[in-house]
Amino acid sequence: MEKKALGLKLLELRQQHNLTQQQLCQALNIGRSTYSYFETGSRTPDIDTLLLIANYYQVTLDELLAVSSHVTPKPCHEVSSAGYSELQLIHHLKAKHIPAEDILELSKADFDFLMDYKRLSEDNKAEIQYLMNYKLRKQ
């Protein structure tokens, strides 16, 4: 299996389970930066780590690696109505100079919040921004 395909599968599974990299890594006792390399395809996990991840998500190694001929690979990223996949969104955010680590730590709930925000009117967005800035100053 190509390293990038495995990385996308790991990202898909993590987002399906609404986990940040930090939460997953704590559960698996894996270093977050090491796991980040797995998702980006820079490194491939060893067999013990693959078994640990497959066990955590309750999938077989075949499903995780999509190597069996009887396993139909699921699309790693659904395409939105705007025509952008989640991977394209990540590339777009990186182009805006947001660190990849911050992007990859986003959970499904974080993405859901962003999608809800996008549906707000401009006045409501301004109100949310004002409230967020106020809360950040109060911390």
Side-chain angles (χ1 to χ4, degrees):
M1 170 178 226
E2 185 180 317
K3 287 193 283 188
K4 296 275 186 203
L6 175 59
L8 291 175
K9 182 66 175 182
L10 293 173
L11 174 63
E12 175 190 20
L13 285 168
R14 184 173 58 78
Q15 288 180 342
Q16 283 176 354
H17 288 81
N18 199 27
L19 296 167
T20 65
Q21 283 187 348
Q22 189 63 39
Q23 291 168 325
L24 177 63
C25 292
Q26 285 176 345
L28 298 176
N29 198 27
I30 298 173
R32 200 207 52 78
S33 62
T34 299
Y35 181 81
S36 178
Y37 289 128
F38 300 156
E39 277 192 5
T40 60
S42 300
R43 291 189 186 162
T44 303
D46 62 25
I47 188 66
D48 291 332
T49 304
L50 286 171
L51 287 168
L52 186 66
I53 293 169
N55 186 48
Y56 181 83
Y57 288 126
Q58 297 181 337
V59 297
T60 66
L61 281 178
D62 276 355
E63 291 170 316
L64 186 61
L65 301 173
V67 294
S68 177
S69 60
H70 69 275
V71 174
T72 304
K74 301 173 191 167
C76 288
H77 299 285
E78 293 182 16
V79 176
S80 72
S81 60
Y84 292 103
S85 70
E86 292 171 4
L87 185 59
Q88 288 170 317
L89 176 61
I90 289 172
H91 288 297
H92 176 73
L93 291 172
K94 285 172 66 174
K96 299 287 184 184
H97 304 291
I98 299 171
E101 295 80 27
D102 291 347
I103 296 167
L104 293 173
E105 284 185 1
L106 294 174
S107 67
K108 183 179 181 318
D110 295 327
F111 279 105
D112 290 345
F113 178 83
L114 292 172
M115 295 307 295
D116 290 342
Y117 177 83
K118 282 183 64 174
R119 290 194 300 261
L120 293 173
S121 68
E122 291 304 313
D123 288 341
N124 285 335
K125 286 180 183 178
E127 190 175 331
I128 294 291
Q129 289 170 349
Y130 175 82
L131 180 61
M132 189 166 310
N133 287 333
Y134 172 79
K135 290 291 187 180
L136 288 169
R137 285 191 309 270
K138 293 294 257 180
Q139 283 195 115

